Amino acid sequence: MTKPQFGLDDDALAGQPTVYRPGLFADRVVLVSGAGSGIGKAIAFLFARLGAKLAICGRDPEKLQATAPKLRELGSPDVFVQSMTIRDPEQVDALMDAVWAHFGQLDVLVNNAGGQFPQAAIDYSVKGWNAVVDTNLNGSWYMMQAAAKRWRDHGQPGNIVNIVATFQRGMPGVGHTGAARAAVTYLSKTVAVEWAPYRIRVNCVAPGAIESTGFRVYPPEAVKTFGQANPMKRTGSVHDIAEAVVYVAAPSGKFITGQLLTVDGGGVLWGDVWPTGKPDYFKV
Amino acid sequence: MTKPQFGLDDDALAGQPTVYRPGLFADRVVLISGAGSGIGKAIAFLFARLGAKLAICGRDLEKLQATAPRLRELGSPDVFVQSMTIRDPEQVDALMDAVWTHFGQLDVLVNNAGGQFPKAAIELSGNGWRAVVDTNLNGTWYMMQAAAKRWRDHGQPGNIVNIVLPIDRGTPGAAHTGAARAGVIYLAKTVAVEWAPYDIRVNCVAPGTIESSGFQYYPPAAVERFRYSNPMKRTGSVHDIAEAVVYLAAPSGKFVNGETLIVDGGSVLWGDLWVTEKPDYFKV
């Protein structure tokens, strides 16, 4: 395996120190979407190291098939793989049924799948807009509702962690995803209340500038500025997001619901992110 | 030791399962204010179990001296005790000097000391108002600045976690503390930026209705209602707050800065919390 252009390779990722105790997720089943690369893979790696049984899904079967044996090596006793798209509610239902058929339970759903492309909002095509909203908002919703229905029907408690983005100051250059991620965050707050009677917790983690394979979609001159766009003046690691997801999903988070945990080095407080490259107007 | 009226006794607290690995805070020094009871004691217990050296302070020397041997039993190799009030900047300076003299370092400051009394805002006396603002806002600030100055002067990284309250919807019946805690939250955001060049992270944890010895200060009818003031319809545990503080203070939180982590069972989204008797007007 060649070293990736951005982020950590598999060995580096597997060797990241964790604060959590071994066996923390023994006998638990965790479903991670978009687990074949980037942040999703980092989340799957950490849950595997903590002993979770894993279901991983994503659009690219090759990436998932390459990831599954690594997860078993890292300590996951059972890894279930299904390639699918979260944009199709029928495929989402089929995935959920397959997970319950295989494991007989689901404990944690991590909605990590998503993505965007940098573009000035004024130039969005309808198709581009719809694609980003469909994946990030609609797709996450199909997964949330499909999981919640089964938890309700089985009388089992549930736990959802949605990976969003730091939309608090708007997201110039990625307005579509800013809208979709804000929507997921407030959807989570709503169902955190509606689904509390079913003992389902729903929370979000908002990664700031996290160095991952996802950096590839941005222009190199923009990527160079990402590490300067928070007061810590560095990028975060995909493993930082994995540690945040585990904190919220584990019993450590058992009194937390409807929360947004921002992991961005303080980027919402200071810094100027332009995924498209900074327009001259804003060079002050 | 008799069982406390509210919260966990020492043995129950020491036996709470933790998600963190043993030795996580080996060779680290953690200073906790208000560590003699309630949430502060729970935080100190958990850091002790994770191997931290501890400095504990508070106004009541007896409570601190009763706590210190328990912390050693739980695994803290060195426990330093100083009784003082955070309301006096000179005592804060003396405390910080004593901690640095004793340990030669400080890694984490947990500003837990604080408190309030329930009262309709219109009835607050000048003295009552000033006492709550002085302790919760000024006292916390003296501690933050005194710690930061020493980290800057020693060229050492630092880490501050302030215990506040969920102030998002106001705090009817406790206006003084709502104002003071909001002050601390936004002060933390400001210095998260200003002190980033010194490698100091600053975050807050906002506990909702956490059952602790602090409940004794509220009318019994109000306490009975506390657990109905969030969608999970239960109170949280002091240990939930300890787990949150460790998440932020440990390397798991190394890219989290200026953030407020709300641990409240979702009460900022649903629920009606009155720490005084609920006025008839609001009985709808």
Side-chain angles (χ1 to χ4, degrees), chain A residues 18-21 189 196 230-232 234 236 240 243-244 247 252 254-255 257 259-266 269, chain B residues 18-21 189 193 196 230-232 234 236 240 243-244 247 252 254-255 257 259 262-266 269:
Chain A
T18 179
V19 301
Y20 300 106
R21 64 174 171 79
K189 290 180 190 284
N230 67 68
M232 298 179 85
R234 62 178 183 84
D240 294 330
E243 297 266 287
Y247 165 72
S252 40
K254 69 185 193 293
F255 199 53
T257 195
Q259 254 293 285
L260 171 65
L261 176 55
T262 301
V263 182
D264 72 339
L269 301 171
Chain B
T18 178
V19 301
Y20 300 106
R21 64 173 171 79
K189 290 182 191 287
V193 176
N230 67 69
M232 299 178 85
R234 62 178 185 84
D240 294 331
E243 298 266 285
Y247 165 73
S252 40
K254 68 186 194 294
F255 200 53
N257 197 17
E259 178 69 339
I262 302 178
V263 183
D264 72 336
L269 303 170

Side-chain angles (χ1 to χ4, degrees), chain A residues 5-234:
Chain A
Q5 189 187 353
F6 297 112
L8 303 167
D9 67 22
D10 284 358
D11 289 341
L13 189 56
Q16 294 292 300
T18 179
V19 301
Y20 300 106
R21 64 174 171 79
L24 180 59
F25 277 85
D27 302 319
R28 299 290 170 191
V29 178
V30 181
L31 168 57
V32 183
S33 67
S37 61
I39 288 172
K41 191 187 212 173
I43 294 167
F45 267 46
L46 182 54
F47 276 112
R49 291 167 64 192
L50 301 176
K53 297 174 189 171
L54 282 162
I56 59 174
C57 64
R59 283 175 303 173
D60 185 339
E62 274 182 34
K63 277 197 210 164
L64 296 173
Q65 295 294 354
T67 302
K70 306 288 310 217
L71 299 176
R72 288 192 198 94
E73 279 171 35
L74 289 170
S76 179
D78 193 355
V79 181
F80 176 85
V81 172
Q82 188 146 330
S83 69
M84 50 80 73
T85 173
I86 60 172
R87 288 159 71 160
D88 177 354
E90 287 182 15
Q91 290 187 45
V92 169
D93 265 332
L95 168 71
M96 290 292 171
D97 286 340
V99 167
W100 277 90
H102 186 86
F103 294 105
Q105 73 186 85
L106 177 64
D107 296 285
V108 178
L109 165 63
V110 182
N111 278 313
N112 163 77
Q116 55 276 326
F117 57 90
Q119 188 172 35
I122 205 159
D123 294 324
Y124 289 163
S125 68
V126 171
K127 195 176 160 199
W129 166 266
N130 283 337
V132 171
V133 171
D134 204 24
T135 301
N136 293 286
L137 174 54
N138 298 341
S140 296
W141 168 242
Y142 302 144
M143 294 283 281
M144 290 166 74
Q145 192 194 33
K149 280 186 175 175
R150 283 156 184 83
W151 283 322
R152 180 195 61 185
D153 296 347
H154 285 88
Q156 295 295 318
N159 198 327
I160 299 174
V161 183
N162 296 314
I163 308 302
V164 293
T166 46
F167 57 81
Q168 291 94 327
R169 302 181 75 212
M171 299 195 80
V174 282
H176 40 23
T177 212
R181 308 303 188 135
V184 169
T185 302
Y186 277 77
L187 180 63
S188 300
K189 290 180 190 284
T190 297
V191 295
V193 175
E194 282 196 25
W195 297 347
Y198 310 129
R199 289 183 299 151
I200 298 170
R201 292 194 294 115
V202 189
N203 291 288
C204 298
V205 171
I210 300 295
E211 185 178 328
S212 85
T213 49
F215 271 21
R216 278 175 323 200
V217 306
Y218 301 103
E221 66 271 22
V223 169
K224 267 188 268 173
T225 66
F226 287 171
Q228 302 291 313
N230 67 68
M232 298 179 85
K233 291 218 271 188
R234 62 178 183 84

Side-chain angles (χ1 to χ4, degrees), chain B residues 115-174:
Chain B
Q116 55 276 326
F117 55 90
K119 192 122 188 161
I122 205 158
E123 310 290 356
L124 281 173
S125 70
N127 275 343
W129 166 266
R130 280 186 293 272
V132 170
V133 171
D134 205 24
T135 301
N136 293 285
L137 177 54
N138 298 340
T140 302
W141 167 243
Y142 302 145
M143 293 283 280
M144 290 168 73
Q145 191 194 34
K149 281 187 173 174
R150 284 158 183 81
W151 283 322
R152 180 195 62 187
D153 297 346
H154 285 89
Q156 295 294 318
N159 198 326
I160 298 174
V161 181
N162 298 316
I163 308 301
V164 293
L165 284 172
I167 45 80
D168 310 53
R169 304 181 76 212
T171 53

